[in-house]
Amino acid sequence: SPFFLAPPPHYAIVTPLPTAMFSRSKHLSFGCIAVLPRQYSPSGRPELFLSTSDGSVVVAEANPSTSPNNGLTDVDCRSRINDGGGMGSSSAPIISMAFAPNGRFLACFTSNSVLTVVSTTFESKVLEFNTSSGSSSPPRSMAWCGEDSVVLHWKNLGVLLVGPYGDWLRFPYGEDDEMGTAAMTGSRVGDSEVYLVQEMDCCR
């Protein structure tokens, strides 16, 4: 009879974080989350970066019992992320975040369609790029291509690659491409989808 191997068990340590209590006390909500791996965090433990509805980021340490403020710190990056050079509201919340593969930079996309790249410590800003001329809606996905470029995807608009000095390349991908693919393959329009897969040195 055939012999089937059971899949190996997976284990995870779940640490409860007092985020609900923090949000209630500050009268705010959380929008998106990004995890800084422990090899890049100062504490040597994973850190959770949570965007807030008032335009800032809260960093949650994985061991709140031994950290001040229950391990939650508002980095107060509102002016650095949202100054925008006059491009939008000073309180536009971050709706998408992604860490660079080296853990040194954080890409933030705000609700006013501005992509901002800052250092993980929020001490310096290295890029600000306004995407509102192409779309006022948020991208469906965002990832890094290597350590110096950010890739964003909008449905029916395509893929946008933004370089370290604000240089950009757009790769169209939308309904026209889907219709051509559907005609060749017999699939339905809308069946195809774009997924960004971040690697250490590229994005697939």
Side-chain angles (χ1 to χ4, degrees), residues 140-159:
R140 299 193 67 176
S141 55
M142 181 174 72
W144 282 79
C145 181
E147 298 177 350
D148 60 1
S149 299
V150 180
V151 183
L152 307 101
H153 167 242
W154 284 266
K155 185 173 177 60
N156 298 330
L157 288 177
V159 174

Side-chain angles (χ1 to χ4, degrees), residues 44-112:
R45 294 185 292 268
E47 293 182 348
L48 278 66
F49 285 53
L50 304 112
S51 69
T52 63
S53 56
D54 63 349
S56 189
V57 172
V58 170
V59 178
E61 295 186 15
N63 193 5
S65 61
T66 60
S67 305
N69 302 319
N70 290 320
L72 299 174
T73 303
D74 186 343
V75 299
D76 194 12
C77 60
R78 296 167 183 83
S79 60
R80 189 170 299 279
I81 296 291
N82 290 295
D83 60 0
M87 290 191 292
S89 168
S90 61
S91 60
I94 299 169
I95 56 178
S96 182
M97 295 187 292
F99 282 106
N102 59 9
R104 294 177 56 195
F105 303 107
L106 177 66
C108 305
F109 193 90
T110 59
S111 61
N112 59 351

